[in-house]
Amino acid sequence: QSLAEPQTYQAYIVIPEATRQAMIKPERTYCRADDKWITDYRNMLTIGLAPGGITKTWISGPCLEPIEVARVEGEVVKRGPYGGRSNGMYALPLKPESKAYIEKYGIPYDSW
């Protein structure tokens, strides 16, 4: 759900076999956390939602840089948040500073 707009989106993100293989491939890397060279895996999947319903997906590991693996444009869910069980109400209202920023500068729909 987007708090900035506010709207609820749904997106179907396909994780292809090549991405799955990248997640199980060991990589030698320097880890700044403990100042050692280690073998690490991209065993984390992160999904971000941007204004306009754009989702991006990255794989990463504790000591490996994230790699973007998918970008999908979601579609608006007319029922709203919580599958329509909240009468269109979102749990977290925008902070006053965020609301003022959006009112002044708008929503950066093309940023992703």
Side-chain angles (χ1 to χ4, degrees):
Q1 106 186 13
S2 169
L3 296 177
E5 295 176 88
Q7 291 196 69
T8 301
Y9 293 94
Q10 67 181 7
Y12 188 80
I13 303 165
V14 175
I15 306 299
E17 185 59 32
T19 298
R20 295 169 192 263
Q21 291 303 313
M23 293 180 78
I24 62 172
K25 177 184 165 196
E27 292 190 41
R28 186 106 170 112
T29 187
Y30 177 74
C31 191
R32 287 176 270 183
D34 56 8
D35 197 31
K36 294 180 183 175
W37 283 91
I38 65 165
T39 299
D40 200 4
Y41 295 85
R42 286 191 168 81
N43 57 4
M44 294 183 278
L45 188 88
T46 304
I47 300 171
L49 173 66
I54 303 296
T55 64
K56 282 194 176 182
T57 306
W58 299 269
I59 56 172
S60 62
C63 297
L64 293 168
E65 292 294 318
I67 297 173
E68 183 180 325
V69 294
R71 182 186 184 279
V72 176
E73 188 170 337
E75 55 189 41
V76 174
V77 176
K78 301 284 187 206
R79 296 184 310 268
Y82 310 107
R85 294 184 302 272
S86 66
N87 296 321
M89 300 299 292
Y90 288 80
L92 300 171
L94 279 177
K95 293 180 181 178
E97 305 84 29
S98 299
K99 185 176 180 179
Y101 181 90
I102 290 171
E103 287 172 354
K104 183 174 182 177
Y105 298 105
I107 297 174
Y109 287 105
D110 296 328
S111 64
W112 272 25

